Amino acid sequence: MKAEPQVAERATGASQAPLIALAGVTRSYHNGEIETVALAGVDLEIHAGEFVAIIGTSGSGKSTLMNILGCLDRPSAGRYRFMGQDVSNLGPDELARVRREDFGFVFQSYNLIPGATAAENVEVPAIYAGVPPAERHARAAELLAELGLSDRTGHRPNQLSGGQQQRVSIARALMNGGRIILADEPTGALDTKSGDDVMRLMRELSDRGHTLILITHDREVADHADRIIELRDGRIVSDPGPCDPTPAAERFEPHVDRSSPAGELLEALRTGLRSLRANVFRTVLTLLGIVIGVASVIAMLAIGDGARQDVIDRISAMGSNLLTVRPGTPNMRGRDVTATLAIEDVRAIRELPGVLAALPDMSGSATVRHGNADHRTSANGTSADFVIARTWPVARGTFFSAEDEARYATVAVLGRTVADALFGAADPVGEYVVINNVLFQIVGVMSPMGSTSWGRDQDDVIFVPWTTGSLRLFGQRHLNSITVAVAEGHDIDATQAAVHASVLARHGGVEDFNIRNMASIIERVSETQQTMTILLGSIAAISLLVGGIGVMNIMLVSVTERTREIGVRMATGARQRNILQQFLIEALTVSALGGVIGVGAGLGTAALIAWLGTPIQYSLAPVLLAFGCAFATGLVFGFLPARKAARLDPVTALASE
């Protein structure tokens, strides 16, 4: 490194107030009831400008002592005074300030941030000191040039040799001045030549007035220092005492913290975006959950707004000339249901003018089995006139006949869904199935009708003669309902009045039934439009919630994977709020970006569905709601991982693998 002009010599270490003073410092760790003592009553003074080596075997407590000296850890007992101030009274952010202003760390494993370049790694301490970008860029370039790395500023750690990485680590330690350099086994992972180069740099730093504290187990490395302190079993067993420091050529001016809230947020945003770019695959997976959630909300609400007309169209397609007679008084809407409808009512209705067909209806759930395949479906007992009344043709085979009804035949017609579930591509006509333990022969398969707008699969059904169903499947004689098809050219309201009069007369004047035509059904569909829309939106919101949980899980994984990076940032002076901001901004950025993409995907999906023929209605409210929820999701679900990262202990974080 280049020489600098000397200033007035300082007093000897013996006459100078100690920079670092430890008195009776003890550090112990507890694992259940087991206590491990790493330091046992250490007394130590280190003066400004000294080059001190702390040597000891593995387990002697030297790394624990370094962590305490560097304000990464706190003693269990005793007192540590730094520049005359008792550090035990300092909070986490105040300790971060001390590390940021006065300490520089050089680690055996370098502890460089993998996704950052050499220059960006060097700049980390200056970021938390509030140094403007242009100034810290120039400072980092200058330091790397002095250390012979001017052509490696844009290289990432995995593109550098071990010796080059350690020099980057030294440059980082000097970024904010480096009044005190703490080097933990700085040559432990280096070859002999690289190790000699690093120790030569250490001596040059000492000559410039930096206070160097070297932690090592190697006596040859320790011999480079002016003072060697030997540690054994947590106690100092050898210490020649403070020595005369080398005349200093560098002054360490009081640090001025230039950080500001706006600057901190901007730097947190830059750091967060850099981290997201470094983990593109994980970022995409996190985005996916938010995108799906937002797109689902927008698309489903758009579908919900257009669902009413779709339902009306589908009901009309089933037959706009239908009447439905149900048990129960009209005012109770079918809730006061009694077994009031019988097959005789059907026969009486069939004799009325204007009636094309009258269908008895018995229904219930059933388990259908063929071979090793089972399927849970709905069984419907009806009459042979079903295909006439409902205009629902048979695709294969035939529908059962009136003769089948009369002789209680065990025959069945399958809906398309049931046929596919039990037989796949094979033709089921003529085959046998077991319905609720009763053997039936399949005589036909209905043509596909598709699902209703409210999601019911119309093809998931099996039809049997009502006589057979009453005797063999349902165990009842009363009907669930009666469907009446009005002949073309006849007034549906007049026919409804005639049906009402006929059934009322048969029931002795007791109105224990109600009749609805398609107009009333359409009216009820219109009334439930808003409910359906809210339901669809709620279901989609669950996807957004799941996406938020995914953000939290990924961020927790990110915190776990980047624990050492967090430790490095804390060692270089990051406050708790800096770590909190970084991870929270990462979560918000992912959620906001996912929200934007999700809005586009939702609108695109709605447009595609509209192009395919489903009625769609666009509105601004769902878009704003979905994006706002995505942003709030990032804030809420990103806070817990961010807080966890901010509250990590620096020593524990640095020790993680």
Side-chain angles (χ1 to χ4, degrees):
M1 298 181 66
K2 63 185 181 182
E4 297 192 16
Q6 294 188 354
V7 297
E9 293 188 8
R10 294 173 294 181
T12 65
S15 62
Q16 195 180 27
L19 186 65
I20 291 172
L22 275 64
V25 167
T26 298
R27 185 66 172 102
S28 59
Y29 302 93
H30 293 270
N31 185 7
E33 297 182 356
I34 301 175
E35 181 182 30
T36 303
V37 178
L39 297 178
V42 172
D43 296 311
L44 176 64
E45 289 186 358
I46 298 176
H47 291 256
E50 284 196 274
F51 189 175
V52 178
I54 300 175
I55 189 170
T57 59
S58 178
S60 62
K62 58 184 185 297
S63 292
T64 302
L65 180 57
M66 186 205 77
N67 290 333
I68 290 176
L69 292 175
C71 297
L72 295 171
D73 198 5
R74 297 174 183 266
S76 302
R79 175 173 292 183
Y80 172 25
R81 300 183 72 86
F82 175 70
M83 297 179 65
Q85 183 179 25
D86 190 346
V87 298
S88 63
N89 298 325
L90 302 180
D93 284 350
E94 292 174 305
L95 291 173
R97 176 186 56 79
V98 173
R99 294 192 295 268
R100 183 170 60 251
E101 295 178 1
D102 297 296
F103 286 95
F105 294 89
V106 179
F107 300 98
Q108 176 181 356
S109 54
Y110 324 128
N111 282 346
L112 300 179
I113 298 172
T117 65
E120 290 168 344
N121 269 283
V122 173
E123 291 178 25
V124 170
I127 290 175
Y128 300 120
V131 179
E135 185 177 334
R136 66 172 185 259
H137 295 340
R139 171 72 171 159
E142 179 186 356
L143 287 170
L144 289 171
E146 289 185 6
L147 294 171
L149 296 174
S150 57
D151 59 340
R152 293 289 187 269
T153 58
H155 288 62
R156 287 182 168 79
N158 60 1
Q159 299 172 313
L160 302 174
S161 67
Q164 290 171 335
Q165 289 187 64
Q166 195 62 290
R167 278 185 279 169
V168 172
S169 178
I170 293 172
R172 181 180 62 191
L174 297 173
M175 187 65 187
N176 284 352
R179 181 195 301 271
I180 304 166
I181 304 294
L182 281 166
D184 184 14
E185 301 282 6
T187 62
L190 303 178
D191 57 48
T192 302
K193 181 180 182 304
S194 297
D196 290 342
D197 291 341
V198 168
M199 291 314 301
R200 185 163 51 253
L201 288 173
M202 294 291 179
R203 169 49 64 185
E204 291 182 21
L205 292 174
S206 176
D207 292 342
R208 292 175 59 176
H210 296 268
T211 302
L212 266 82
I213 303 175
L214 176 67
I215 309 297
T216 184
H217 68 280
D218 190 337
R219 174 63 68 170
E220 290 186 12
V221 173
D223 286 340
H224 288 82
D226 300 321
R227 173 185 173 190
I228 300 176
I229 300 171
E230 185 174 357
L231 204 63
R232 185 182 304 158
D233 297 329
R235 300 178 185 274
I236 293 178
V237 297
S238 174
D239 180 9
C243 59
D244 292 339
T246 305
E250 187 165 332
R251 294 181 182 272
F252 297 95
E253 300 295 337
H255 179 81
V256 178
D257 191 345
R258 289 182 280 175
S259 61
S260 65
E264 289 181 10
L265 286 175
L266 181 59
E267 292 301 336
L269 178 60
R270 290 173 178 167
T271 304
L273 291 175
R274 185 186 301 121
S275 174
L276 294 175
R277 286 198 305 269
N279 299 277
V280 174
F281 185 68
R282 184 173 63 201
T283 302
V284 170
L285 290 179
T286 310
L287 278 172
L288 191 59
I290 298 296
V291 169
I292 291 174
V294 172
S296 298
V297 169
I298 293 174
M300 285 194 172
L301 289 178
I303 293 170
D305 288 339
R308 180 169 63 93
Q309 187 59 48
D310 183 50
V311 170
I312 293 171
D313 292 343
R314 285 183 178 270
I315 292 175
S316 299
M318 290 191 296
S320 58
N321 62 333
L322 299 181
L323 302 172
T324 304
V325 184
R326 296 183 182 276
T329 59
N331 293 334
M332 294 303 293
R333 296 273 180 170
R335 284 181 282 180
D336 184 21
V337 176
T338 55
T340 60
L341 298 180
I343 190 62
E344 289 77 12
D345 295 323
V346 176
R347 291 168 180 158
I349 293 172
R350 285 174 178 169
E351 302 300 323
L352 297 175
V355 173
L356 177 64
L359 309 178
D361 177 72
M362 292 180 177
S363 60
S365 60
T367 300
V368 186
R369 182 180 299 111
H370 175 75
N372 295 325
D374 287 351
H375 184 72
R376 189 72 173 172
T377 186
S378 173
N380 185 280
T382 186
S383 73
D385 292 334
F386 179 88
V387 291
I388 299 174
R390 293 293 304 275
T391 61
W392 187 349
V394 176
R396 296 180 184 177
T398 63
F399 207 78
F400 54 79
S401 64
E403 182 182 353
D404 292 326
E405 293 180 42
R407 62 186 182 87
Y408 295 80
T410 52
V411 293
V413 180
L414 304 184
R416 173 63 63 185
T417 298
V418 181
D420 291 343
L422 296 178
F423 295 93
D427 186 359
V429 176
E431 299 292 336
Y432 288 86
V433 295
V434 177
I435 306 175
N436 288 355
N437 299 320
V438 180
L439 189 66
F440 282 74
Q441 185 179 25
I442 302 170
V443 296
V445 178
M446 303 300 291
S447 59
M449 285 290 285
S451 299
T452 64
S453 293
W454 53 90
R456 185 178 71 83
D457 184 359
Q458 299 181 89
D459 299 312
D460 193 3
V461 66
I462 184 167
F463 298 101
V464 299
W466 70 268
T467 51
T468 310
S470 174
L471 180 65
R472 309 294 295 274
L473 296 181
F474 309 121
Q476 67 182 52
R477 291 187 57 82
H478 63 272
L479 304 179
N480 296 103
S481 65
I482 300 171
T483 301
V484 181
V486 179
E488 187 177 354
H490 286 75
D491 182 68
I492 190 170
D493 292 330
T495 304
Q496 178 178 346
V499 170
H500 180 273
S502 175
V503 178
L504 186 64
R506 286 205 71 262
H507 290 204
V510 178
E511 192 167 359
D512 52 2
F513 62 94
N514 64 86
I515 303 176
R516 286 181 292 166
N517 58 32
M518 283 300 168
S520 66
I521 294 175
I522 293 172
E523 181 181 353
R524 289 194 63 187
V525 169
S526 299
E527 292 173 353
T528 58
Q529 176 196 13
Q530 188 64 30
T531 302
M532 291 177 59
T533 302
I534 293 174
L535 177 61
L536 288 172
S538 300
I539 294 172
I542 294 174
S543 300
L544 190 55
L545 177 64
V546 172
I549 295 173
V551 170
M552 182 173 67
N553 288 338
I554 293 295
M555 292 306 298
L556 285 172
V557 170
S558 178
V559 169
T560 302
E561 290 181 349
R562 295 160 59 191
T563 299
R564 177 169 288 193
E565 175 191 333
I566 295 168
V568 171
R569 292 185 181 279
M570 289 181 168
T572 53
R575 310 163 187 83
Q576 287 188 337
R577 70 172 181 266
N578 297 134
I579 303 298
L580 180 68
Q581 288 169 351
Q582 176 184 337
F583 282 87
L584 194 56
I585 284 177
E586 286 184 28
L588 289 174
T589 301
V590 168
S591 298
L593 183 58
V596 171
I597 298 174
V599 167
L603 294 175
T605 301
L608 176 61
I609 294 172
W611 180 76
L612 294 174
T614 300
I616 295 296
Q617 182 176 349
Y618 298 100
S619 59
L620 182 61
V623 174
L624 296 178
L625 175 65
F627 183 80
C629 288
F631 194 81
T633 293
L635 181 64
V636 173
F637 288 98
F639 178 74
L640 182 60
R643 186 180 65 171
K644 177 185 177 183
R647 293 186 175 183
L648 284 174
D649 183 83
V651 173
T652 304
L654 285 169
S656 69
E657 296 298 332

